[in-house]
Amino acid sequence: MRRKIGFVLAVFAATVVLMVLQKPVFMAWYAAEAAGAGFGGWMAVLWHGLSLDLTVAGYVTAVPLLVMLASLWVRLPERLWRGILTGYFVLVSVLTAVIFAVDVALYEHWGFRLDATILIYLSDPKEAMASVDFWLGVRQTLLAALYAALMIWLYRRTLRFFDGQRVGWRTASVGSLVILLLAGFDFLAIRGGMGASTANVSKVYFSSDMFLNHAATNPVFSFLSSLGDRNTDYAAEYPFYDEPQLTKRFAALRGNAPGAEAPARRVLTTSRPNVVLVILESFARTVMDERVDGEPVMPNMQRLKEEGLWFENFFANSYRTDRGEVALLSGFPAQTRMSIMKLPAKSHNLPSIARTMSGEGYATSFSYGGDLNFTNQASYLYATGWQELVWQKDLHFDREAADWGYDDEVMCDWFAERVISLDEGGRPFLAALLTLSSHTPFDVPYSKFADPVLNAMAFSDACVGRMLDRLKASPAWRNLLVVLVADHGYPYPATLSYNEPLRHRIPMIWTGGAVAGPQRIETYASQIDLAATLLGQLGLAHTDFDYSKDIFAPAPPRKFAYYTFNDGFGVVDSLGAAVWDATGDRVVTETNPELLDVGRTMLQMTYTDIGRR
């Protein structure tokens, strides 16, 4: 029985070693890009890449585990069991070697690790082969052959531990329990651990140097994890208009249309403030405006609303954090049944506030008390210009972390000190914080309201309010612009329909010493409009943000708020609203029929754009 267990462990260990080996080969292959990494950079690539290497090892070990379990009960000759395993190892070795060799060759041209995009080109083998240089083909074939040979050799060594001899039913019973226990650990390796985030490419991202992040990525995982997306024809998801008609309709809506670069109305006292962006988890307008026995649930948001710029008609673009983040930070509309954040090859080339501001000398950092691997956030943030990410793994507080991470009390206190420290550094900065306590299960160290949702929201409001008071009392406040905006709304009260406009209405407040004075902004807008509006106030070009409209610009395009839900869209402006449900192909609301065409255009263009990236 010991040999059986030893065999499974040996397969897992051998696979990990083989996966780790790919990384120094990749970095040596691209020695020029790796030149500045130093020994510490190489070690960091190996260490951070290990999580996905363990995941791939978990997948590879699953079949040997099943074979070992079957061999305890099924009476077959040991030679046959060994033949099955040998064939399996050869198949794994050849597929892995081909993926690795192709990935190494294509990275030079693609700039990202191999994913299912390659299958698009292989649909026409003749054309694909015509674009392959002969000697390149020879070189990569040799690399694949050498790597496959090494893998097969090492796996054959592990077969020495295999024991397929028959055992009695008592031994088989105990052995089955042991193997099932090992299967549990194997599942954890496949899942990527016990945390909230499952295995994804973002787990290995650790640096603002994208080459190091790519070097840490396991190409086998990158390829296999993207297979589910390879057949998606995004442009055909919502075929409302033919291409010329779609282009013409979108031209009237795009944020960077001719004339949109006209000087915007100034609302700041300086064109180069330090910027703090606080993304508020689930802060819905319905909760912000709620009162319990006459007492406001969010007294600090109500107070801050009167002290700064208050955007009365502001809407979230989605109902999920990952899509709301992309809308806020990249000015890119949310999708219905997918999330571009989960497609690194496509999300990496989105425009972003951080990238634009870092290009103008701003230091950019993003902080979160939870796990930024969740929904590929770290991958997206690093790729779009955030130079530093600080999250749960980097933080150590006396208080125990909650389900989602460190609560808003400790994070807001820590973040206030961080902003003050950044200000003292003298370099202009963009610092963002994503809160988390106002998220289900609403477990917070606070007891003010009986309703757990309202109580958690009140807790986060108190934490944010205290953070703003701390900043206001510091020298940093004088040159600071603080943007408070929700990532999405929340279905409160419970009778609120998932697709109606009020469900997606959220607060946005601009405050800080850099704000010229209190104002109430009535313009209809949504999260995608933050990018152009903020950059416009900083005097920075935002022509690469196709969808983002400067709220303070005097010129067209028309101002409206657009959002999506699971399978449909809503559009709201000063004249009414329109909501369309794709599942039933029906109009839900139509108080302003013109907005149906606006929504169809935005939805189709978003998916067409994704298909092109």
Side-chain angles (χ1 to χ4, degrees):
M1 194 61 214
R2 290 180 180 177
R3 290 185 62 190
K4 294 178 185 294
I5 296 172
F7 166 67
V8 173
L9 297 176
V11 170
F12 187 89
T15 307
V16 171
V17 170
L18 290 166
M19 295 300 109
V20 170
L21 180 62
Q22 294 180 3
K23 291 163 183 58
V25 173
F26 179 84
M27 292 188 73
W29 198 282
Y30 291 97
E33 288 82 352
F39 178 76
W42 283 63
M43 291 300 101
V45 165
L46 296 178
W47 174 252
H48 289 278
L50 189 60
S51 62
L52 290 187
D53 295 337
L54 292 172
T55 293
V56 172
Y59 279 113
V60 171
T61 308
V63 170
L65 268 170
L66 291 174
V67 169
M68 289 305 303
L69 182 61
S71 70
L72 293 172
W73 299 98
V74 179
R75 309 300 186 181
L76 292 177
E78 184 168 343
R79 287 183 58 189
L80 181 56
W81 287 122
R82 288 180 177 272
I84 292 171
L85 287 168
T86 299
Y88 170 71
F89 288 139
V90 169
L91 178 62
V92 168
S93 300
V94 171
L95 287 176
T96 300
V98 169
I99 289 173
F100 179 54
V102 172
D103 169 73
V104 169
L106 288 180
Y107 182 79
E108 176 184 358
H109 307 286
W110 286 9
F112 56 87
R113 301 307 291 266
L114 187 71
D115 64 11
T117 306
I118 185 68
L119 299 179
I120 297 173
Y121 301 99
L122 294 181
S123 61
D124 189 343
K126 184 177 179 180
E127 182 178 339
M129 291 304 296
S131 62
V132 176
D133 175 78
F134 174 76
W135 291 111
L136 173 65
V138 171
R139 185 184 66 188
Q140 300 313 115
T141 300
L142 287 174
L143 175 62
L146 286 171
Y147 187 57
L150 173 64
M151 291 187 70
I152 292 170
W153 176 83
L154 189 55
Y155 281 135
R156 285 181 64 84
R157 300 284 78 74
T158 67
L159 276 171
R160 293 177 177 179
F161 295 94
F162 178 75
D163 178 6
Q165 294 184 7
R166 300 176 181 180
V167 296
W169 69 268
R170 288 188 177 86
T171 302
S173 299
V174 174
S176 297
L177 293 175
V178 173
I179 289 176
L180 289 175
L181 179 63
L182 290 176
F185 287 109
D186 196 59
F187 172 76
L188 285 180
I190 292 172
R191 187 184 182 278
M194 300 178 66
S197 62
T198 55
N200 59 65
V201 172
S202 183
K203 272 189 173 288
V204 303
Y205 277 45
F206 68 97
S207 172
S208 58
D209 183 341
M210 287 306 297
F211 173 76
L212 297 182
N213 295 328
H214 291 160
T217 302
N218 187 298
V220 177
F221 181 88
S222 177
F223 174 71
L224 295 178
S225 65
S226 63
L227 284 177
D229 304 311
R230 74 179 185 88
N231 291 321
T232 303
D233 182 358
Y234 295 104
E237 284 286 291
Y238 298 101
F240 300 116
Y241 311 109
D242 59 35
E243 188 166 347
Q245 193 177 16
L246 176 65
T247 302
K248 181 179 179 181
R249 288 176 178 274
F250 184 61
L253 304 177
R254 63 187 308 140
N256 54 4
E261 68 277 4
R265 175 165 58 93
R266 298 291 302 167
V267 297
L268 303 181
T269 59
T270 174
S271 61
R272 283 293 187 275
N274 294 320
V275 180
V276 165
L277 174 61
V278 183
I279 303 176
L280 305 162
E281 173 66 50
S282 303
F283 267 39
R285 271 293 298 276
T286 52
V287 178
M288 178 179 165
D289 294 339
E290 183 65 282
R291 288 177 174 267
V292 177
D293 297 329
E295 184 176 4
V297 171
M298 292 187 179
N300 289 286
M301 290 294 286
Q302 295 292 349
R303 168 175 61 89
L304 294 167
K305 166 185 172 181
E306 302 300 326
E307 295 176 357
L309 300 181
W310 166 246
F311 295 78
E312 172 64 24
N313 298 301
F314 198 75
F315 290 77
N317 283 111
S318 181
Y319 58 97
R320 293 289 303 271
T321 301
D322 53 326
R323 301 171 205 186
E325 275 186 32
V326 173
L328 286 167
L329 305 179
S330 290
F332 192 80
Q335 302 85 60
T336 51
R337 292 165 294 163
M338 62 164 288
S339 170
I340 194 172
M341 184 182 279
K342 297 179 182 179
L343 304 175
K346 293 182 180 294
S347 66
H348 285 190
N349 57 26
L350 290 174
S352 85
I353 293 172
R355 185 185 293 124
T356 298
M357 293 180 67
S358 64
E360 294 294 322
Y362 276 78
T364 59
S365 65
F366 191 101
S367 302
Y368 179 51
D371 185 357
L372 281 180
N373 286 322
F374 195 66
T375 65
N376 266 328
Q377 288 179 86
S379 166
Y380 161 75
L381 292 168
Y382 271 131
T384 54
W386 293 91
Q387 299 158 352
E388 181 184 22
L389 305 185
V390 181
W391 42 294
Q392 188 176 357
K393 67 179 180 61
D394 307 306
L395 301 166
H396 304 284
F397 301 114
D398 293 337
R399 182 177 299 181
E400 285 292 321
D403 289 347
W404 282 98
Y406 288 115
D407 65 45
D408 291 348
E409 183 173 36
V410 294
M411 285 305 299
C412 285
D413 289 346
W414 172 86
F415 189 69
E417 294 302 320
R418 176 173 176 79
V419 170
I420 292 170
S421 176
L422 288 170
D423 179 71
E424 291 170 349
R427 182 182 175 186
F429 62 85
L430 165 64
L433 172 68
L434 173 60
T435 68
L436 57 71
S437 292
S438 46
H439 190 291
T440 181
F442 306 113
D443 181 19
V444 295
Y446 194 72
S447 182
K448 186 174 183 179
F449 298 111
D451 186 309
V453 175
L454 299 185
N455 188 63
M457 299 284 183
F459 172 71
S460 292
D461 173 77
C463 298
V464 171
R466 186 170 59 252
M467 177 178 69
L468 268 290
D469 289 341
R470 174 73 181 89
L471 292 175
K472 188 180 296 187
S474 75
W477 187 257
R478 182 179 59 82
N479 191 45
L480 195 64
L481 167 62
V482 180
V483 177
L484 303 171
V485 60
D487 59 345
H488 53 75
Y490 188 79
Y492 180 88
T495 54
L496 195 64
S497 174
Y498 69 94
N499 57 17
E500 66 179 283
L502 189 56
R503 164 69 172 81
H504 298 271
R505 197 169 190 173
I506 59 173
M508 183 165 77
I509 299 169
W510 288 20
T511 187
V515 174
Q519 288 188 53
R520 181 186 176 98
I521 313 300
E522 300 285 351
T523 306
Y524 278 77
S526 62
Q527 290 170 325
I528 55 174
D529 300 320
L530 173 63
T533 305
L534 174 60
L535 295 175
Q537 289 298 308
L538 302 183
L540 300 179
H542 45 87
T543 54
D544 51 343
F545 294 83
D546 293 342
Y547 306 88
S548 189
K549 304 177 295 297
D550 187 341
I551 296 171
F552 298 113
R558 65 187 296 176
K559 302 298 195 295
F560 60 89
Y562 165 78
Y563 64 86
T564 62
F565 44 90
N566 188 52
D567 200 7
F569 65 76
V571 188
V572 192
D573 70 3
S574 59
L575 300 179
V579 178
W580 179 75
D581 175 27
T583 303
D585 190 16
R586 66 188 182 93
V587 175
V588 180
T589 302
E590 193 180 13
T591 57
N592 184 357
E594 287 184 15
L595 296 179
L596 286 172
D597 287 335
V598 171
R600 291 186 179 110
T601 301
M602 291 290 289
L603 184 60
Q604 184 177 355
M605 181 55 74
T606 300
Y607 276 77
T608 299
D609 193 345
I610 292 172
R612 292 169 180 166
R613 291 182 182 273

